[in-house]
Amino acid sequence: MSQPLVGMDLSELREAVGIGQPAYRARQLYEALYRRREFDLARISTLPAGVREALGGGYAVGLPDIGATYESSDGARRYLLRLADGRTVETVLMPEGERDTLCISTQVGCPVACAFCMTALLGLERNLSAGEIVGQVLLLARENKLKQEGGRLNIVMMGQGEPLLNLASVLKATRLLLDPAGFGLSPRRVTVSTAGIVPGIAELGRETVRPKLAVSLNASTEEMRRELMPITRKYHLKDLLDACKAYPLRPWEKLTFEYVLLKGVNDADTDARRVIRLLANLNCKVNLIALNPGPEIPFETPAPERVAAFQQIVRRSLPCFVRKPRGLDIYAACGQLKGSVG
């Protein structure tokens, strides 16, 4: 089976190009894959024909295949992508004016088992490689002619999976996406979302090249969070908040806390006031997400008036925004990615 080139860094591409070739050949291949998005080895004209032929003998570009595409009435598109081993993941494109956001996956399925999330029903099949993470971006950037210059493209690792349980691949993929000689995104344009893997937060904070951090809070008490997010039984709310306080923010950066509002469960005014107290000493903002419903999810979406009232309380003390749902009609919204085929 051919080895995939996408996901390799410059040193790995030097080995792929072969002993005896000048070092700049690997750089030419690196730029062709990540900067120019040339995915036919035979047509990478900066490489000599002999190098292209040699690469073709043992390597492939290694992008996923598009198994199906679903388009929402609001313009969002959900892609079911098929990997080399036949497994599938989902990636969502959300156009918004002059900007585009790609929501990408980091695992096949998810092990975290949040009670309000359809993806949790899949369980975990396996981690994605760095190449499979980057490949989602490269493929959909090509398919949709997306431009990363000028802050026009955002990447959020909020699709299938818990990114901090696949941190080595997530960090390598991030380095490839942020490298100015490669895909060239700004670190301000890449966000990783965690359910609260405390050791992973500390490890992420030690990295020089890293995405922004978003934390799924979703509850205002330890007891409530344990019911909604079983991961809290291992990583307690206090420990999570301590890890967030210790997280080394860059001068331009805030932590983001995501809060999924569930009707009659965690959306009361008292919950909003407790959220303020929990986050009082953090440099952060809050994104509210009214539940995106789905089959087998035993919760309801609160009324817009309840969402607005919750926001009004929180924003007295913290920046607080309501995330607009995208792709609800095609199961492309946050918490809905379960490989649905319709």
Side-chain angles (χ1 to χ4, degrees):
M1 185 176 176
S2 298
Q3 291 187 61
L5 293 169
V6 166
M8 289 188 181
D9 58 25
L10 192 57
S11 63
E12 292 166 324
L13 289 177
R14 286 194 190 103
E15 290 187 26
V17 168
I19 297 170
Q21 291 295 329
Y24 65 81
R25 293 296 182 211
R27 173 65 66 183
Q28 289 172 325
L29 179 55
Y30 185 89
E31 292 177 352
L33 292 172
Y34 298 117
R35 181 189 289 178
R36 299 197 303 277
R37 303 197 286 270
E38 295 177 358
F39 302 135
D40 182 348
L41 289 177
R43 300 181 67 178
I44 300 178
S45 58
T46 51
L47 294 176
V51 173
R52 284 177 270 161
E53 290 171 14
L55 282 170
Y59 296 90
V61 170
L63 292 181
D65 294 321
I66 297 176
T69 306
Y70 306 95
E71 184 146 7
S72 170
S73 57
D74 65 20
R77 285 193 285 280
R78 175 168 65 92
Y79 291 84
L80 191 69
L81 302 182
R82 196 166 305 282
L83 307 172
D85 65 358
R87 290 181 170 89
T88 58
V89 293
E90 290 170 282
T91 305
V92 179
L93 169 65
M94 294 169 282
E96 189 72 50
E98 292 297 309
R99 286 187 179 171
D100 298 293
T101 298
L102 279 177
C103 179
I104 66 174
S105 296
T106 56
Q107 295 178 307
V108 182
C110 185
V112 178
C114 297
F116 48 83
C117 180
M118 286 174 63
T119 312
L121 301 172
L122 295 170
L124 177 67
E125 293 190 38
R126 68 169 174 84
N127 286 332
L128 296 185
S129 68
E132 289 169 331
I133 296 170
V134 173
Q136 296 170 69
V137 177
L138 296 180
L139 176 63
L140 295 197
R142 182 192 68 183
E143 288 294 309
N144 296 281
K145 297 180 172 60
L146 304 181
K147 304 293 185 184
Q148 64 266 47
E149 300 87 358
R152 286 184 284 181
L153 179 61
N154 295 304
I155 306 295
V156 293
M157 299 186 191
M158 299 180 185
Q160 292 180 353
E162 165 50 64
L164 298 195
L165 291 177
N166 186 20
L167 190 52
S169 292
V170 164
L171 287 172
K172 185 178 182 184
T174 299
R175 289 191 294 270
L176 293 170
L177 290 171
L178 298 186
D179 185 358
F183 196 75
L185 282 176
S186 162
R188 297 169 184 258
R189 298 297 169 193
V190 182
T191 302
V192 63
S193 177
T194 180
I197 309 301
V198 170
I201 291 172
E203 187 177 344
L204 180 67
R206 290 191 289 269
E207 293 293 320
T208 304
V209 178
R210 64 177 186 264
K212 296 187 298 182
L213 177 62
V215 177
S216 292
L217 184 61
N218 305 323
S220 63
T221 67
E222 172 85 10
E223 296 72 27
M224 184 188 302
R225 196 170 192 273
R226 192 181 297 122
E227 288 184 22
L228 296 175
M229 303 178 71
I231 195 72
T232 306
R233 295 168 196 163
K234 185 171 185 180
Y235 302 117
H236 302 305
L237 181 55
K238 179 185 182 301
D239 298 329
L240 171 60
L241 293 173
D242 285 345
C244 291
K245 287 172 188 172
Y247 190 78
L249 293 170
R250 290 158 286 194
W252 47 266
E253 190 174 14
K254 286 182 181 289
L255 283 172
T256 297
F257 286 90
E258 297 158 328
Y259 195 100
V260 176
L261 290 160
L262 310 172
K263 182 179 179 180
V265 176
N266 66 351
D267 64 343
D269 289 357
T270 51
D271 290 302
R273 288 190 282 268
R274 281 194 294 257
V275 166
I276 291 170
R277 290 196 293 272
L278 287 174
L279 306 182
N281 297 316
L282 291 164
N283 181 11
C284 68
K285 64 179 181 178
V286 178
N287 280 345
L288 301 178
I289 305 165
L291 173 72
N292 297 313
E296 303 175 74
I297 299 301
F299 299 103
E300 296 179 38
T301 306
E305 297 78 18
R306 176 87 302 265
V307 176
F310 196 102
Q311 180 193 25
Q312 187 173 14
I313 293 170
V314 174
R315 75 190 318 178
R316 292 174 192 155
S317 302
L318 297 166
C320 183
F321 307 91
V322 176
R323 190 189 297 173
K324 177 183 173 184
R326 299 294 303 276
L328 281 170
D329 54 336
I330 57 167
Y331 292 109
C334 182
Q336 290 189 322
L337 300 184
K338 192 185 170 235
S340 304
V341 295

